[in-house]
Amino acid sequence: MRVLAIHAHPSPESFNRLLFDTACTALRGSGHEVTELDLYGEDFRAVMSADERAAYDTDEPVCSPDVARHAGLVGTADVLLFVYPTWWMGVPAILKGWLDRVLVPGVAFHLDERTNRVRPGLGHVRRIIGITTYGSSRSYVRVMTDGGRRTLLRALRMLVPWGRRTTWLALYGVDTSTEAQRARFVRRVEERVARL
């Protein structure tokens, strides 16, 4: 399968980067074709411009070459893989901006001309995978409703055909985790994505 792997962490030495590299290596080892997008490494602009917002409701909502390249990669992906740290109970701003600027009408969904309702546009996507770390405990994250997970596994999932699978891999309490706990989570990520 063709996997589009999106990474959103500013530090190339982070534990998050290790998770991203582990997932991509495991996927390639299982015979999948992986395209990596390092949003911070590319200095992806998260802010939607006024011109992009004006174009959003037109037949050509993609206004910039970097967004066009990313949208083209989304259009050929069987799997969307997101690896990021959960900050403020959501995805980092750069990833939210990527969702806003890349997953526009004509790329990720279509608006029904009669009802103006969203119609899924990611029929080719067979799976969505989220890998994240939380500073907080699982129980605290549950109380706070886990905005990042809801964005990717509920909102984004509405843009793929019904019944397509999702995978969620999370390490809670990463700030107080031990080296052994982090190593176990890396192995879990490696083993889980290798079975894709």
Side-chain angles (χ1 to χ4, degrees):
M1 288 192 280
R2 291 180 304 266
V3 180
L4 180 59
I6 300 111
H7 182 240
H9 193 290
S11 173
E13 292 85 30
S14 68
F15 179 63
N16 205 264
R17 182 66 203 208
L18 174 62
L19 295 173
F20 181 75
D21 291 343
T22 297
C24 291
T25 299
L27 287 162
R28 285 188 181 103
S30 295
H32 302 290
E33 178 186 328
V34 180
T35 301
E36 298 180 16
L37 291 179
D38 178 354
L39 300 184
Y40 281 99
E42 291 186 19
D43 200 22
F44 184 83
R45 185 172 52 84
V47 178
M48 179 183 280
S49 69
D51 289 341
E52 286 175 315
R53 183 60 193 106
Y56 191 88
D57 296 320
T58 70
D59 290 337
E60 297 196 26
V62 176
C63 300
S64 66
D66 62 333
V67 171
R69 182 174 70 83
H70 289 207
L73 293 170
V74 169
T76 62
D78 300 307
V79 177
L80 297 176
L81 166 69
F82 298 90
V83 182
Y84 68 94
T86 295
W87 291 337
W88 287 95
M89 291 301 141
V91 298
I94 198 167
L95 180 52
K96 177 61 169 71
W98 186 88
L99 295 167
D100 289 343
R101 294 182 66 217
V102 176
L103 300 186
V104 296
V107 175
F109 63 94
H110 307 282
L111 293 174
D112 186 288
E113 290 180 18
R114 188 176 57 81
T115 65
N116 208 35
R117 290 189 178 179
V118 171
R119 299 288 179 231
L122 297 175
H124 54 283
V125 173
R126 297 168 61 184
R127 185 181 294 257
I128 299 169
I129 302 170
I131 301 171
T132 192
T133 56
Y134 299 88
S136 301
S137 67
R138 182 182 213 136
S139 58
Y140 185 81
V141 169
R142 187 172 289 145
V143 168
M144 298 305 291
T145 70
D146 202 351
R149 184 176 185 166
R150 286 186 309 140
T151 297
L152 297 177
L153 298 194
R154 290 187 187 171
L156 181 56
R157 190 177 189 185
M158 297 300 293
L159 304 179
V160 303
W162 181 254
R164 298 295 165 90
R165 300 191 60 189
T166 61
T167 301
W168 191 255
L169 299 168
L171 178 60
Y172 299 90
V174 68
D175 297 338
T176 56
S177 64
T178 65
E179 187 173 328
Q181 288 169 322
R182 290 189 299 276
R184 277 195 303 273
F185 186 67
V186 170
R187 283 194 303 275
R188 181 175 169 225
V189 166
E190 181 178 33
E191 292 167 2
R192 184 63 187 88
V193 299
R195 295 195 312 263
L196 182 66

